[in-house]
Amino acid sequence: MKKHPYIVGLTGGIGSGKSTVAAEFRHLGIHTVDADYASRAVVEPNMPALAEIAMHFGKDIILPSGQLDRAKLREIIFADADQKTWLEALLHPLISKWIIAQLESADSPYVILESPLLFETDQHLLVNTVLLVDLPVNQQIDRASARDGNDKQQIERIIASQMPRQEKVNRADWVFDNALNQDTMAARIEGLHGKFMTFAQPTN
């Protein structure tokens, strides 16, 4: 029987630098599973979920390429809580199934589940420990708008729809302060890596 991997949940708000931190762990040979990618994979063309979304929201939610118009869908669900609830009920079980399969196939000493909504969904139940990439909200907004070219008000709405920053800090086992000098990032991640390697060792 395959041993279940030790799983580190990596989370952080939009623009916090979570993906950069995940990349540093990959450089150390650690397999990462991206929940955002999972959310895209389950709505690829010809996937059953995409057909259900088109039936619910209308065919114009599908781009001429056959892909989901994620920008349009995002506008709808952030403007209507009921629509957001409907979409989550459809997608979350599918996303969880995809994530679990990826986690169990990982072959590194431990595996990272990178998820912006780790606490807001049941994905936190999949992990052994949680690492939060933390950044003051004003810096999140500045970095996210510079990176994506999104309107700052839209980014503020996304942040407002997620768990408050302080609550995430309180619930996390480890907090990575990404407001510190970026030149220290690699060394700090190597320190965490050493701890996670120790925790991942078999106890018998």
Side-chain angles (χ1 to χ4, degrees):
M1 180 180 292
K2 187 179 186 298
K3 179 181 176 294
H4 289 294
Y6 186 86
I7 303 170
V8 177
L10 174 64
T11 192
I14 185 172
S16 64
K18 177 179 72 287
S19 296
T20 303
V21 170
E24 289 289 335
F25 279 103
R26 285 195 293 274
H27 291 157
L28 295 170
I30 299 304
H31 186 88
T32 63
V33 176
D34 185 348
D36 268 352
Y37 182 82
S39 70
R40 295 190 293 273
V42 299
V43 293
E44 283 294 306
N46 301 318
M47 295 295 282
L50 186 60
E52 289 195 49
I53 289 170
M55 286 182 61
H56 183 82
F57 292 103
K59 291 183 179 179
D60 62 348
I61 203 73
I62 308 298
L63 295 167
S65 64
Q67 298 282 340
L68 176 65
D69 189 337
R70 297 175 67 85
K72 182 178 289 186
L73 182 62
R74 191 182 302 118
E75 287 180 10
I76 292 171
I77 64 173
F78 281 116
D80 188 329
D82 289 339
Q83 298 289 11
K84 184 172 185 282
T85 298
W86 180 89
L87 186 68
E88 289 173 346
L90 171 68
L91 295 183
H92 283 179
L94 300 174
I95 292 168
S96 291
K97 183 177 179 180
W98 189 94
I99 286 170
I100 289 168
Q102 296 295 312
L103 291 171
E104 292 186 344
S105 68
D107 58 3
S108 55
Y110 63 93
V111 59
I112 285 178
L113 171 56
E114 179 188 351
S115 173
L117 299 177
L118 188 76
F119 289 130
E120 290 88 341
T121 66
D122 60 2
Q123 291 169 15
H124 67 277
L125 300 175
L126 300 174
V127 308
N128 298 97
T129 193
V130 176
L131 171 61
L132 172 69
V133 182
D134 184 54
L135 197 67
V137 171
N138 63 318
Q139 291 187 45
Q140 280 184 251
I141 294 168
D142 289 344
R143 290 189 187 183
S145 60
R147 181 193 66 195
D148 301 331
N150 284 338
D151 181 271
K152 287 191 175 183
Q153 289 185 329
Q154 183 181 16
I155 295 168
E156 288 171 353
R157 288 196 297 271
I158 292 171
I159 292 172
S161 74
Q162 297 176 355
M163 184 177 290
R165 176 191 175 200
Q166 189 57 51
E167 188 173 349
K168 288 180 181 179
V169 170
N170 293 342
R171 292 183 61 174
D173 301 296
W174 311 86
V175 178
F176 187 89
D177 185 353
N178 212 20
L180 297 180
N181 190 316
Q182 296 296 288
D183 290 341
T184 69
M185 175 182 285
R188 290 188 288 138
I189 289 174
E190 283 188 22
L192 288 166
H193 171 67
K195 291 181 172 65
F196 297 150
M197 289 286 283
T198 299
F199 299 149
Q201 294 300 314
T203 55
N204 52 27

